Amino acid sequence: MVSDQHDVISLPHLHELSTGFGSADAVLSLADGQRDLRRALVASVYRAAEPLGADRAAWTLINQLDHSHPDVLDGVLGHPYLRAWAERCLSRPPVAATSHLASFAAAAAILAGVAACLDVPVIEGRVFLPTLGTVLVDPEASIAVLSCDHGAVAVWAGGAEVRLDSGTIAPLAGADASWLPSRTLYLGDFTVRLEDGDPCRDDYHRLATGCLPDSEVDRWRSLCADAWALIERDYPQYVPGITAGLRAVIPLRSALPGQHTSGTVREAFGAVGIARPDDPEALALLLIREFQQVKICGILDLIELYERSDRDRYRVGRCPDPQPLEGVLRGAYAHLGVTDFWRVRRRTAHGAAAEEADGEFTRSLSGTAEAIETLLHSGSLNPTGLAFVEGMRSTTNHW
């Protein structure tokens, strides 16, 4: 059965992460905690919806796969937006929303090569299969029937059928125009999804793009390859953690022309939202900054660092509005990565770029140090939180 428990990160790993860095094992411990948290949420969603007519076939299949192909199931349930969907289900009447559970069950069955037949939801003419891609069907349909067996996947909706090869997940019999495979970004030997199809992904103030044209995907791939080469060369201390924990990049629209737009959703561990910048240096900075947010959000899910009763607002740095304590903590942790980026950049850049980096480093270090002191003097950090923020301060003091 899907678990209802999750483990707590070890103190040695927490100490590693407190410095702003963290090994692959430390980040994997966060991912393990998220795995158990997601499983518990899925179980809670089903229990809440079962009396109201939840899809028992999907739940039965998930439990079957948990016994026969647990690694495959974990890979699909590790899709970052499963948790966001599950928490929405638990915060509102869950009957309709739980149909999305069948999409996860179907994707896992396809990858495991297990025969199955399920009703899956159609959203605006699309059947989304997490980690695999999207099937385009009749936009008037609300439900499609998906079956997988004998090496093929068939999706019926509105009187039409789309067939895929279950081994290669490639379209069969002229279905090319009806299948949108999940896009992949290549970061050296490491790959992540460029997630432009998940209907649950738009928690970025409605800035998530629609499905990207192939030409834009090519731009993303070229830029990511260059940005990753820069990170591997100049910022290798971030490589183990990012490769252990990053699963998806959500392409965003720019909020304001000429400004970088990025963000992280607390409930989507492993995903970062980024509007494609024009140069690899900017993308490298955004990847580092947003993955810092992924880490601190993962930590806060597993460990209490401060008293939740704190309702004060704190004014720090250049932020125009006072922030709650968690906002100060998340911002300071993210800016450890930003400060480190400019610290290194001022030595590796030349001319005007080096001068810009030096100024950015000075401003970022000052603001981050101020936020850390605000946290330490808030009176709301518990002993674990004090030790964690002291670890952050040890890094800025070294710089």
Side-chain angles (χ1 to χ4, degrees):
M1 296 293 290
V2 175
S3 172
D4 283 315
Q5 303 296 323
H6 68 270
D7 298 326
V8 175
I9 184 174
S10 71
L11 290 179
H13 283 156
L14 188 64
H15 176 69
E16 279 185 49
L17 292 162
S18 75
T19 65
F21 304 110
S23 64
D25 284 345
V27 174
L28 285 172
S29 69
L30 297 179
D32 287 345
Q34 290 292 320
R35 176 199 62 204
D36 296 341
L37 177 59
R38 283 190 296 265
R39 282 169 160 258
L41 283 168
V42 168
S44 295
V45 168
Y46 182 75
R47 282 197 300 269
E50 185 178 19
L52 306 173
D55 189 342
R56 294 189 179 184
W59 179 250
T60 299
L61 180 58
I62 283 176
N63 281 279
Q64 174 189 339
L65 291 166
D66 197 20
H67 288 290
S68 63
H69 297 82
D71 291 342
V72 173
L73 181 63
D74 279 339
V76 174
L77 296 185
H79 180 66
Y81 280 88
L82 178 141
R83 178 181 167 190
W85 158 78
E87 293 197 356
R88 288 175 190 169
C89 287
L90 294 172
S91 66
R92 64 185 68 171
V95 179
T98 55
S99 63
H100 195 45
L101 183 64
S103 301
F104 285 92
I110 292 168
L111 289 169
V114 171
C117 185
L118 294 170
D119 290 343
V120 292
V122 178
I123 300 175
E124 297 180 351
R126 294 166 181 256
V127 173
F128 177 66
L129 299 173
T131 76
L132 297 178
T134 301
V135 183
L136 302 182
V137 298
D138 182 351
E140 298 299 318
S142 60
I143 293 292
V145 178
L146 181 148
S147 70
C148 52
D149 199 5
H150 303 299
V153 177
V155 180
W156 291 276
E161 179 187 55
V162 178
R163 293 179 63 82
L164 307 173
D165 183 299
S166 62
T168 61
I169 321 298
L172 296 172
D176 300 62
S178 299
W179 173 242
L180 303 176
S182 177
R183 271 62 180 273
T184 301
L185 297 175
Y186 303 93
L187 309 181
D189 296 330
F190 171 60
T191 61
V192 300
R193 289 187 300 278
L194 183 64
E195 186 54 78
D196 61 347
D198 189 337
C200 295
R201 75 193 184 284
D202 200 356
D203 284 327
Y204 299 92
H205 306 290
R206 300 191 182 277
L207 289 175
T209 70
C211 183
L212 298 177
D214 290 343
S215 58
E216 179 64 7
V217 175
D218 289 341
R219 293 186 189 98
W220 266 102
R221 286 174 174 162
S222 176
L223 191 67
C224 277
D226 292 342
W228 189 249
L230 174 64
I231 291 173
E232 287 187 313
R233 186 189 71 216
D234 294 344
Y235 306 94
Q237 62 272 35
Y238 295 97
V239 169
I242 292 175
T243 56
L246 183 63
R247 292 293 171 265
V249 174
I250 314 300
L252 305 180
R253 298 186 300 274
S254 294
L256 294 171
Q259 292 189 14
H260 295 147
T261 299
S262 64
T264 304
V265 175
R266 170 78 179 264
E267 297 78 20
F269 182 86
V272 299
I274 296 176
R276 180 180 60 80
D278 294 328
D279 60 86
E281 291 80 9
L283 181 57
L285 171 60
L286 295 174
L287 284 170
I288 289 171
R289 182 177 76 186
E290 295 309 327
F291 195 72
Q292 292 291 102
Q293 287 276 10
V294 169
K295 289 189 293 184
I296 189 62
C297 288
I299 292 164
L300 290 169
D301 281 334
L302 303 177
I303 298 286
E304 292 284 352
L305 298 180
Y306 64 92
E307 300 298 329
R308 298 290 176 173
S309 59
D310 186 312
R311 294 292 183 266
D312 289 342
R313 296 270 171 164
Y314 301 86
R315 189 177 295 277
V316 292
R318 290 179 286 176
C319 186
D321 300 314
Q323 300 292 308
L325 193 69
E326 181 172 315
V328 177
L329 176 57
R330 289 176 56 177
Y333 193 81
H335 274 81
L336 286 176
V338 173
T339 305
D340 195 26
F341 178 89
W342 292 117
R343 180 184 70 87
V344 174
R345 186 78 180 144
R346 65 180 183 160
R347 297 199 305 264
T348 58
H350 303 283
E355 292 181 11
E356 177 194 17
D358 189 61
E360 291 288 350
F361 169 71
T362 300
R363 286 188 289 272
S364 186
L365 179 61
S366 174
T368 304
E370 178 188 344
I372 288 171
E373 294 306 314
T374 297
L375 290 165
L376 290 172
H377 291 91
S378 67
S380 293
L381 297 177
N382 60 30
T384 303
L386 282 168
F388 187 87
V389 177
E390 286 286 2
M392 293 167 60
R393 183 161 68 175
S394 70
T395 297
T396 57
N397 285 346
H398 178 68
W399 293 335

